[in-house]
């Protein structure tokens, strides 16, 4: 289909339009949770709200204490790092699919009612 771009002829009302239009949000849909800059910290923050991840973190920290050390330090970190990595990849892929869907919806051709 054909697309049409409508540019209003504001004339001397242009300054007033720009002032008023800054007060309102645009109508783009955004359902993603993350951006490229906040993905890692926000994802880790969300993952450490789970009790199981906090438990494994506690075991890792406890194993760094020389008196309590039961295993090698790196071995106790493997389950935690593995789970955090798998969940981060899953969350990243889900968020990317949400981004693609948002982009598709925001670029749909719409009908505008005009008297």
């Amino acid at each position: 289909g054909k697309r049409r771009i409508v540019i209003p002829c504001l004339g001397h009302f242009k300054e007033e339009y720009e002032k008023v239009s800054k007060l309102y949000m645009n109508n783009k849909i955004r359902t993603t949770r993350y951006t490229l800059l906040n993905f890692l910290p926000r994802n880790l923050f969300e993952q450490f709200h789970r009790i199981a991840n906090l438990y494994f973190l506690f075991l890792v920290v406890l194993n760094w204490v020389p008196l309590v050390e039961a295993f090698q330090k790196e071995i106790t970190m493997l389950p935690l790092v593995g789970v955090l990595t798998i969940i981060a990849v899953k969350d990243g892929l889900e968020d990317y699919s949400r981004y693609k869907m948002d982009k598709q919806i925001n670029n749909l051709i719409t009908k505008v009612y005009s008297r």
Side-chain angles (χ1 to χ4, degrees):
K2 294 182 180 179
R3 289 189 174 205
R4 145 183 114 129
I5 299 174
V6 179
I7 301 173
C9 182
L10 300 172
H12 61 279
F13 295 111
K14 185 176 181 178
E15 291 177 13
E16 182 179 349
Y17 171 76
E18 288 176 356
K19 286 179 189 176
V20 171
S21 65
K22 288 180 184 176
L23 299 175
Y24 298 102
M25 295 292 293
N26 61 16
N27 63 348
K28 287 187 177 181
I29 294 173
R30 182 175 181 260
T31 59
T32 57
R33 282 191 247 170
Y34 309 109
T35 63
L36 288 176
L37 295 176
N38 73 1
F39 176 75
L40 189 62
R42 192 167 185 185
N43 188 268
L44 287 174
F45 178 75
E46 288 177 7
Q47 286 193 45
F48 281 116
H49 277 300
R50 297 183 181 128
I51 299 296
N53 291 344
L54 285 174
Y55 173 73
F56 282 113
L57 180 66
F58 173 72
L59 289 179
V60 168
V61 170
L62 191 63
N63 202 36
W64 282 85
V65 176
L67 294 173
V68 188
E69 183 179 348
F71 306 108
Q72 293 179 351
K73 296 172 181 133
E74 297 80 16
I75 292 177
T76 56
M77 291 174 59
L78 284 178
L80 180 64
V81 171
V83 168
L84 292 180
T85 303
I86 291 170
I87 294 174
V89 168
K90 178 192 70 83
D91 288 345
L93 291 174
E94 286 176 356
D95 207 52
Y96 181 68
S97 67
R98 277 192 221 108
Y99 166 76
K100 288 192 324 187
M101 185 63 76
D102 291 347
K103 192 173 180 181
Q104 182 182 6
I105 290 172
N106 288 329
N107 290 327
L108 285 176
I109 297 174
T110 60
K111 293 182 180 180
V112 178
Y113 175 74
S114 176
R115 290 186 183 181

